[in-house]
């Protein structure tokens, strides 16, 4: 059964809000649908979305229908432009990821170490883009460039942007990113044992293989 993408956005927004992965009127979610992009509107709380009042933009980021889109609509359009396989994009102001984005002396090519296997498989390398004020379209070219090779990136002093082949995949990745940021901060000042380059390469290769048949309902 096909699930209405509008209902998917509303359900995910409510779940993220309830779990404090977003708060107030922050964050935005989009889904590519029939050549257009469904996007949460400007000034909306992800905890109180209405499926009949979502914005619609085209792949150039222009407003097509519905209420005015988030001022960060151009970020979503930039990611879709560079990643034709992406069908969903999530941008959050999740606390631990934002905290990491405010730290000094980060490696802008890869912000977080490979602490866990699931982080490597769901996120991989995480570039950091330099600070731009929210809604500054000067960020668009940078986002397009980094999205060609990365489905996730972090905006300095702002938050994560993650794309996926579908909304569930994007949500898995952004939640894994947030938990890894939390681990990274909890481990600050402690000696850590990240995965080795060989282990990362094995996991990366495995995550690129075709998906196995569904094991839903099977014990793990």
């Amino acid at each position: 059964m096909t699930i209405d993408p509008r209902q998917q956005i509303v359900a995910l927004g409510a779940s993220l809000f309830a779990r404090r992965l977003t708060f107030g009127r922050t964050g935005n979610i989009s889904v590519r649908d029939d050549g257009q992009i469904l996007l949460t509107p400007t000034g909306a709380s992800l905890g109180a979305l209405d499926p009949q009042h979502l914005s619609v933009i085209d792949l150039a980021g222009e407003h097509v229908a519905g209420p005015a889109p988030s001022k960060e609509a151009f970020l979503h359009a930039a990611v879709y432009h560079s990643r034709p396989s992406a069908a969903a994009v999530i941008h959050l102001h999740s606390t631990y990821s934002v905290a990491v984005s405010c730290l000094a002396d980060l490696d802008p090519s890869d912000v977080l170490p490979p602490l866990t296997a699931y982080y490597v498989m769901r996120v991989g390398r995480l570039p950091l883009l330099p600070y731009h004020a929210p809604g500054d379209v000067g960020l668009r070219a940078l986002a397009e460039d980094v999205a060609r090779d990365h489905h996730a990136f972090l905006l300095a002093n702002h938050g994560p942007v993650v794309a996926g082949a579908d909304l569930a995949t994007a949500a898995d990745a952004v939640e894994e990113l947030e938990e890894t940021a939390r681990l990274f901060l909890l481990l600050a000042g402690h000696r850590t044992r990240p995965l080795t380059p060989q282990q990362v390469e094995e996991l990366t290769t495995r995550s690129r293989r075709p998906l196995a048949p569904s094991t839903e309902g099977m014990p793990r």
Side-chain angles (χ1 to χ4, degrees):
M1 181 179 67
T2 302
I3 302 176
D4 182 353
R6 290 176 176 269
Q7 295 290 351
Q8 285 185 299
I9 290 173
V10 170
L12 178 61
S15 174
L16 294 172
F17 189 88
R19 290 179 291 139
R20 295 287 296 170
L21 287 163
T22 186
F23 49 88
R25 298 175 185 271
T26 64
N28 29 81
I29 302 171
S30 70
V31 169
R32 192 201 304 252
D33 184 49
D34 291 333
Q36 295 182 323
I37 300 167
L38 291 172
L39 177 70
T40 50
T42 188
S45 166
L46 296 192
L49 297 171
D50 182 337
Q52 300 309 314
H53 290 85
L54 297 179
S55 303
V56 181
I57 62 173
D58 61 23
L59 293 178
E62 298 298 322
H63 185 203
V64 172
S70 164
K71 61 179 172 290
E72 289 161 337
F74 70 90
L75 268 178
H76 295 252
V79 173
Y80 289 121
H81 179 267
S82 293
R83 302 190 70 81
S85 63
V89 174
I90 301 171
H91 165 51
L92 297 179
H93 297 180
S94 44
T95 301
Y96 295 101
S97 298
V98 173
V100 169
S101 82
C102 297
L103 295 176
D105 303 320
L106 295 171
D107 178 357
S109 69
D110 193 12
V111 176
L112 291 172
L115 293 174
T116 69
Y118 279 100
Y119 176 76
V120 172
M121 291 189 291
R122 290 177 175 168
V123 179
R125 296 180 68 85
L126 182 69
L128 177 72
L129 297 191
Y131 173 76
H132 287 67
D136 182 349
V137 296
L139 188 58
R140 177 167 187 155
L142 293 174
E144 283 189 1
D145 184 55
V146 76
R148 291 188 181 97
D149 298 312
H150 304 275
H151 70 280
F153 53 91
L154 191 61
L155 306 177
N157 305 82
H158 192 159
V161 178
V162 177
D166 53 43
L167 199 52
T169 302
D172 284 346
V174 79
E175 292 180 42
E176 196 70 43
L177 194 165
E178 175 69 358
E179 284 303 304
T180 303
R182 181 169 179 256
L183 287 173
F184 177 73
L185 294 168
L186 285 170
L187 291 168
H190 297 273
R191 294 182 63 192
T192 59
R193 189 182 62 253
L195 301 183
T196 66
Q198 180 180 353
Q199 290 168 332
V200 169
E201 179 60 29
E202 290 172 352
L203 289 166
T204 302
T205 300
R206 182 185 303 176
S207 67
R208 289 173 180 162
R209 293 174 186 162
L211 293 176
S214 173
T215 57
E216 185 177 357
M218 295 178 61
R220 296 186 178 183

